[in-house]
Structure formats: structure tokens, C-alpha cells
Amino acid sequence: EVQLVQSGAEVKKPGESLMISCQGSGYTFTSYWIAWVRQMPGKGLEWMGIIFPGDSDIRYSPSFQGQVTFSADKSINSAYLQWSSLKTSDTAMYYCARPRSGSFADAFDIWGQGTMVTVST
Amino acid sequence: SYDLIQPLSVSVALGQTARITCGGYNIGSKNVNWYQQKPGQAPVLVIHRNLNRPSGIPERFAGSNSGNTATLTVSRAQGGDEADYYCQVWDSSTGAFGGGVFGGGTKLTVL
């Protein structure tokens, strides 16, 4: 079964750092892009950017460039989303998602279960 | 940036047909994907490349795309279809690489 499994919920304070993960299984991890999608409480989906684990080619949405860092470790089929200094406005559910094909522009047919990040004093 | 406009909400009587629109400049020239998201769950792809249904999605879900409007049609609406629906495209006009764009989402209520 093709699936993406994300790390568990996190509660952090402003200014702290954080890395969440997304592990793929059931397919060749290095052949498909992985996208990150943010959903703030009660709001819609926002495309943050995309990474190709095969060679760590990364493209950020202009809205998220400089705010987060993507990375991948193909030896353990995992992609990561990282913050160096969290803000309360980073409180959201974060999803990883995989396109249907090897194209970064294809529809996302596989989604992780989401990781809830709460940033509060 | 490329904007996708969806109505905030659409209501449909049980068993009737709901139409959810997604407006964007010349969206007919792009491939539109649709996702269904129920409360507390991850999104699920219901239509890709304008009109194609993934395996396991009922034939009651159909997509079309022309001009400045893409439409998701849900026929014979059931209570289980109540969800938020999002359209999505790849905007190749954003820089050399482009980027993904989601519409704001539409809450479908089945009465």
C-alpha cells in the first residue's frame, strides 16, 4: 500500500525550532516529488512548496520562501519541514502530499495524515 | 500570482445535483484538480486533470473546465458528500518553475 506517514502533533513556544517528518512507503520514494501544504485553523489549503527526494531539488512558494526549510533523507524515505524560530502564526495542520506521477505539477493522490503544530506561550 | 475563486458555500437537497464552481483567468487552459476534505481528515482527490476520477471515486462526481470557470458536479447528493471541496491548479506563470494554487474552498451542505 502506498502511503505517507507523518510525525505526531507538536506543541512549541514562540522562538523554538521544530522539524516534522513525512515517511513514504509502498513506492519508489526517490521517483516522486513531495509537497507540503498548510491549513491554518478553520481555513483553506495553502501550497508551501515541493521537494524531489531523488536529488533534493526544492521549490518554495514565494509566500513561504525564507520562512521554512525543506529537506529529505532518501536512505530512510523521509521528507522534512523545518522551522528555525516558530511564531504563533505558524499554528496549523501541515500535510505532505505526493503527486500521481513523477511530474511536480500533477494532482496529489496520496496525502499524509497531517501533523498539527501548535505554537503558544 | 494566480487566484482561484470559489463560493464559500453551496447547499443541495438530498438526491439532487450540486455544482461547485472555481473561477480563474483562462482556467480552461489549465488542468484542474478537485479535493474533498471532511472534518478532521486529510484531503482526498476526487477529480484530476479536469474530468478524471481516481479509482474508488463514484461516478456521481464529475468535472468540467472551460473559459474562466471549472465546475465540480455532484449528482444524486448524499449525506456523506457533505465536506469542503477545493479546486487546485499548477500556475506556470509564477517564476520559472511555477507553483501550486488552491482555491479558497467551498462547504457543501446536503439538506
Side-chain angles (χ1 to χ4, degrees):
Chain A
E1 179 192 7
V2 176
Q3 61 179 348
L4 296 172
V5 178
Q6 298 185 232
S7 50
E10 301 275 0
V11 179
K12 292 288 190 179
K13 296 187 185 317
E16 293 185 333
S17 63
L18 175 64
M19 177 182 280
I20 63 174
S21 66
C22 168
Q23 186 171 42
S25 62
Y27 72 99
T28 302
F29 188 70
T30 52
S31 297
Y32 291 79
W33 294 77
I34 292 287
W36 289 96
V37 177
R38 183 176 78 173
Q39 187 168 39
M40 300 177 76
K43 303 298 184 182
L45 304 173
E46 299 174 86
W47 188 87
M48 301 176 68
I50 200 160
I51 181 170
F52 189 71
D55 61 5
S56 289
D57 188 6
I58 296 171
R59 310 292 172 153
Y60 295 101
S61 162
S63 299
F64 292 92
Q65 179 86 45
Q67 308 305 309
V68 297
T69 302
F70 301 158
S71 60
D73 184 343
K74 55 188 179 182
S75 70
I76 55 172
N77 290 355
S78 293
Y80 304 95
L81 169 59
Q82 183 177 7
W83 294 261
S84 59
S85 181
L86 286 160
K87 309 178 185 65
T88 56
S89 57
D90 292 318
T91 294
M93 180 71 82
Y94 293 88
Y95 294 100
C96 60
R98 193 206 78 169
R100 292 178 59 249
S101 69
S103 168
F104 50 75
D106 207 345
F108 304 125
D109 67 336
I110 305 296
W111 291 72
Q113 82 277 21
T115 296
M116 184 66 207
V117 174
T118 303
V119 184
S120 174
T121 55
Chain B
S1 63
Y2 188 80
D3 294 327
L4 294 174
I5 306 300
Q6 297 183 237
L8 284 176
S9 63
V10 168
S11 297
V12 61
L14 186 68
Q16 297 304 302
T17 298
R19 293 178 179 82
I20 299 172
T21 58
C22 176
Y25 176 74
N26 198 26
I27 195 174
S29 68
K30 300 180 183 298
N31 285 319
V32 179
N33 309 306
W34 289 92
Y35 302 88
Q36 175 193 71
Q37 187 181 33
K38 297 181 178 179
Q41 298 184 19
V44 172
L45 179 67
V46 294
I47 293 288
H48 64 92
R49 296 186 181 182
N50 302 318
L51 50 73
N52 297 284
R53 278 177 294 103
S55 173
I57 300 302
E59 292 182 7
R60 300 184 298 102
F61 288 83
S64 62
N65 184 19
S66 179
N68 294 317
T69 304
T71 302
L72 174 69
T73 300
V74 184
S75 303
R76 303 182 298 283
Q78 302 175 359
D81 298 331
E82 279 205 346
D84 293 325
Y85 290 85
Y86 296 89
C87 57
Q88 180 252 324
V89 301
W90 185 266
D91 175 29
S92 57
S93 68
T94 304
F97 187 81
V101 180
F102 287 98
T106 298
K107 182 175 181 59
L108 177 65
T109 301
V110 180
L111 304 172

